[in-house]
């Protein structure tokens, strides 16, 4: 059976090519922009390839009880909406997706938003949302017979790629900025057997080097410029819609780094609406760190028509990106859904992360920008009390334990960054204390906390 119904369309000039004709750097030969996967059979109203929304909803629910391995993946469970492989038998899966959607009672109360949820993508097999995209693009790499795959990364992409390459029996090359990624992520790439190069540059520099490498050798590029990554990363949109019984939330709030994730989720919602699975789109907003905010600037200064790269700097190392590849796609998603794009400070990120932690939901600093951004949006009146809001938490707290420990020890932020937030930070900090190894001493220490 041939499951493949896709072609690639250039996001810039609209040129269409077959998937097999893409250049190694996934840039359009005509205008240099990125491609998007499209499914021509879906546009013909009564065509044989156009999915039937009622049947799909039923089928996807049924698959939750299926014994077939592919149905256990929260990505391939929705495979009718990602027909990118000649055979689904080539799918490389680690049972990604199907991540939890948690209510946030404390933040909900503090912000007076009753329906506030977190979609925790950090609960994926390698601890980040990248797994949903990696299962899709790695499957294409395997089907097309590549032996080597590669990515530049701030850490999570490399962890996911290394794991999926290992499962697929492929070799993987990782380029990371030296000293600028969290240890947990580097450890994963090593553990899964990647050939890891630490380059003395930033993420944007690693990306430039890798683009040249894939032009010169038969290595398959697995950064989110690869449009198949985004096909996998659109599936959490399906999970969210399904969780709300196909009534979408009013707002979806996503962190922004290289801007593949916001683009992918936007595509997922757009396709569901086009196919009649949902009636409207959520407003999709993207949050960046103040020190790595090129999209915020682009939208404020050029209405999203032009992006000036910035020299990125933030402790949320996953989103320390100054020249994001998918900025045009993300700008379109924000504009089409009437979302917003704002930035948050280092202190706001650290506080939001600790607040999520105090709800029992650990996450990476890059994920916590969503709650920090929501607070600002609420204060500005962009979000109403009766709105349903979903924060996309992108990575697991254990990815970057150093950040968390530094925060609780009071060693993360400098005085200038803390200014005006001292009280909030003091109430959230929970440093470990050294206590003599006797019950009396522990109880005495506990008394101090209870008073
Ligand atoms: N959150 C986490 C935890 C990430 O790892 C990333 C990106 C983002 C948010 C931003 O998502 O790039 O799609 O806008 N990490 C990439 C990496 C760049 O290499 O792991 P984006």
């Amino acid at each position: 059976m041939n499951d493949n119904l896709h072609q690639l369309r250039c996001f810039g000039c609209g040129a269409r090519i077959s998937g097999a004709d893409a250049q190694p750097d996934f840039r359009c030969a005509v205008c240099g922009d990125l491609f998007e996967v499209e499914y021509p059979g879906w546009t013909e109203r009564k065509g044989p390839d156009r999915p039937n929304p009622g049947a799909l909803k039923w089928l996807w629910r049924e698959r939750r009880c299926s014994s077939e391995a592919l149905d256990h993946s929260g990505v391939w469970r929705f495979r009718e909406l990602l027909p990118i492989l000649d055979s689904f038998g080539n799918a490389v899966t680690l049972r990604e997706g199907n991540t939890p959607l948690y209510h946030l009672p404390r933040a909900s109360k503090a912000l007076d938003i009753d329906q506030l949820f977190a979609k925790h993508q950090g609960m994926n097999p390698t601890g980040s949302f990248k797994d949903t995209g990696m299962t899709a693009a790695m499957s294409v790499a395997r089907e097309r017979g590549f032996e080597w795959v590669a990515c530049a990364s701030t850490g999570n992409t490399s962890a996911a790629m290394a794991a999926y390459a290992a499962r697929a029996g492929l070799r993987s090359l990782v380029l990371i900025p030296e000293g600028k990624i969290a240890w947990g992520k580097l450890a994963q790439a090593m553990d899964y057997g990647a050939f890891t190069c630490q380059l003395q540059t930033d993420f944007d520099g690693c990306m430039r080097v890798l683009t040249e490498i894939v032009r010169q050798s038969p290595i398959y590029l697995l950064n989110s410029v690869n449009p198949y990554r985004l096909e996998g990363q659109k599936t959490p949109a399906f999970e969210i819609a399904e969780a709300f019984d196909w009534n979408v939330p009013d707002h979806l709030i996503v962190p922004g780094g290289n801007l593949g994730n916001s683009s992918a989720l936007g595509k997922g919602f757009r396709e569901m609406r086009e196919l009649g699975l949902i009636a409207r789109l959520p407003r999709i907003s993207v949050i960046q760190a103040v020190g790595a905010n090129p999209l915020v600037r682009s939208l404020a200064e050029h209405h999203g028509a032009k992006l000036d790269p910035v020299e990125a700097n933030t402790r949320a190392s996953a989103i320390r990106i100054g020249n994001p590849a998918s900025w045009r796609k993300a700008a379109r998603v924000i504009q089409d859904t009437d979302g917003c794009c704002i930035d948050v400070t280092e202190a706001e990120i650290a506080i939001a992360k600790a607040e999520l932690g105090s709800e029992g939901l650990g996450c990476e600093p890059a994920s916590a920008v969503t709650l920090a951004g929501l607070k600002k949006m609420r204060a500005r009146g962009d979000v109403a009390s009766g709105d349903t809001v979903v924060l996309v938490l992108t990575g697991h707290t254990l990815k970057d334990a150093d950040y968390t420990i530094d925060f609780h020890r009071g060693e993360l932020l400098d005085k200038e960054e803390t200014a005006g937030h001292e009280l909030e930070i003091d109430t959230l900090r929970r440093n470990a204390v050294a206590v003599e190894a006797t019950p009396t001493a522990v109880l005495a220490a506990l008394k101090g906390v209870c008073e």
Side-chain angles (χ1 to χ4, degrees):
M1 183 179 88
N2 191 333
D3 300 319
N4 202 332
L5 297 174
H6 85 281
Q7 64 188 20
L8 302 181
R9 180 179 179 278
C10 173
F11 197 77
C13 70
R16 291 190 164 88
I17 60 169
S18 92
D21 291 339
Q23 304 205 65
D25 61 359
F26 292 104
R27 294 276 169 184
C28 173
V30 181
C31 74
D33 210 333
L34 298 177
F35 285 96
E36 236 181 10
V37 175
E38 70 171 10
Y39 306 100
W42 292 3
T43 43
E44 215 182 307
R45 285 260 150 214
K46 293 222 156 74
D49 292 331
R50 186 175 162 92
N52 172 321
L56 285 182
K57 289 177 188 176
W58 178 85
L59 179 66
W60 294 340
R61 186 167 312 157
E62 284 299 296
R63 281 187 183 146
R64 285 191 182 160
C65 312
S66 157
S67 56
E68 201 187 310
L70 208 54
D71 294 340
H72 295 172
S73 159
V75 171
W76 299 106
R77 184 160 74 86
F78 301 102
R79 55 191 173 271
E80 287 72 18
L81 296 199
L82 53 153
I84 54 175
L85 299 175
D86 288 343
S87 165
F88 287 125
N90 288 324
V92 184
T93 173
L94 281 166
R95 296 196 182 190
E96 53 290 319
N98 291 326
T99 52
L101 182 73
Y102 297 112
H103 185 236
L104 297 175
R106 290 194 196 180
S108 194
K109 197 159 166 224
L111 293 171
D112 186 25
I113 304 170
D114 193 33
Q115 298 298 308
L116 174 56
F117 299 88
K119 174 74 173 160
H120 206 328
Q121 294 294 96
M123 299 302 197
N124 270 296
T126 76
S128 87
F129 72 101
K130 304 286 182 181
D131 294 344
T132 56
M134 209 47 83
T135 183
M138 190 68 73
S139 304
V140 174
R142 177 157 83 172
E143 190 170 83
R144 298 204 180 149
F146 281 89
E147 284 172 23
W148 276 89
V149 292
C151 71
S153 181
T154 57
N156 280 325
T157 301
S158 49
M161 181 187 75
Y164 282 83
R167 296 299 291 180
L170 306 186
R171 307 286 310 276
S172 63
L173 166 69
V174 164
L175 302 190
I176 49 171
E178 185 166 22
K180 293 179 190 149
I181 80 163
W183 288 121
K185 304 175 187 180
L186 177 58
Q188 285 180 291
M190 291 172 167
D191 209 24
Y192 303 137
F195 180 66
T196 305
C197 302
Q198 309 192 69
L199 306 190
Q200 284 185 355
T201 177
D202 54 11
F203 169 82
D204 303 298
C206 290
M207 201 62 231
R208 278 194 296 276
V209 172
L210 187 58
T211 305
E212 272 313 310
I213 291 176
V214 296
R215 283 181 187 147
Q216 290 172 26
S217 30
I219 300 179
Y220 193 66
L221 180 61
L222 281 173
N223 278 94
S224 56
V225 292
N226 180 324
Y228 303 110
R229 278 269 314 276
L230 304 199
E231 289 309 285
Q233 282 177 215
K234 74 186 181 184
T235 58
F238 308 156
E239 289 185 10
I240 291 169
E242 187 184 51
F244 289 100
D245 205 14
W246 308 101
N247 294 306
V248 295
D250 299 296
H251 295 267
L252 188 76
I253 303 184
V254 192
N258 213 18
L259 299 170
N261 203 29
S262 36
S263 307
L265 293 167
K267 185 173 193 278
F269 281 106
R270 197 176 72 226
E271 288 178 351
M272 276 192 284
R273 193 182 58 172
E274 281 164 10
L275 292 171
L277 283 149
I278 56 172
R280 64 180 177 91
L281 300 176
R283 291 172 68 182
I284 300 180
S285 297
V286 174
I287 317 295
Q288 298 197 297
V290 164
N293 63 356
L295 187 66
V296 176
R297 288 169 189 237
S298 161
L299 286 161
E301 291 160 22
H302 309 293
H303 300 289
K306 171 174 174 257
L307 180 132
D308 300 317
V310 302
E311 193 158 324
N313 192 16
T314 166
R315 291 188 188 83
S317 57
I319 52 172
R320 190 187 284 158
I321 296 175
N323 189 15
S326 296
W327 68 272
R328 274 186 213 279
K329 292 183 184 179
R332 235 279 291 287
V333 167
I334 295 167
Q335 287 166 340
D336 285 358
T337 66
D338 197 23
C340 60
C341 183
I342 57 175
D343 51 16
V344 289
T345 66
E346 294 296 301
E348 288 166 341
I349 297 172
I351 290 166
K353 180 173 140 48
E355 286 170 342
L356 285 161
S358 72
E359 302 237 24
L361 295 183
C363 67
E364 272 195 56
S367 311
V369 300
T370 53
L371 178 59
L374 172 64
K375 289 195 222 170
K376 285 197 164 159
M377 288 168 64
R378 181 81 178 109
R380 290 184 350 179
D382 289 333
V383 177
S385 172
D387 287 349
T388 302
V389 182
V390 175
L391 309 178
V392 179
L393 302 185
T394 44
H396 199 283
T397 188
L398 294 177
K399 290 273 190 176
D400 194 354
D402 286 350
Y403 181 102
T404 312
I405 290 174
D406 286 349
F407 174 80
H408 289 287
R409 284 189 179 151
E411 293 166 3
L412 184 75
L413 303 164
D414 63 34
K415 253 209 162 81
E416 212 175 295
E417 291 168 321
T418 316
H421 295 285
E422 291 86 352
L423 203 69
E424 275 170 290
I425 292 175
D426 273 355
T427 26
L428 286 163
R429 274 184 49 208
R430 297 274 179 273
N431 196 12
V433 288
V435 182
E436 194 191 315
T438 65
T440 321
V442 174
L443 287 169
L446 196 58
K447 202 158 169 248
V449 177
C450 297
E451 272 163 5

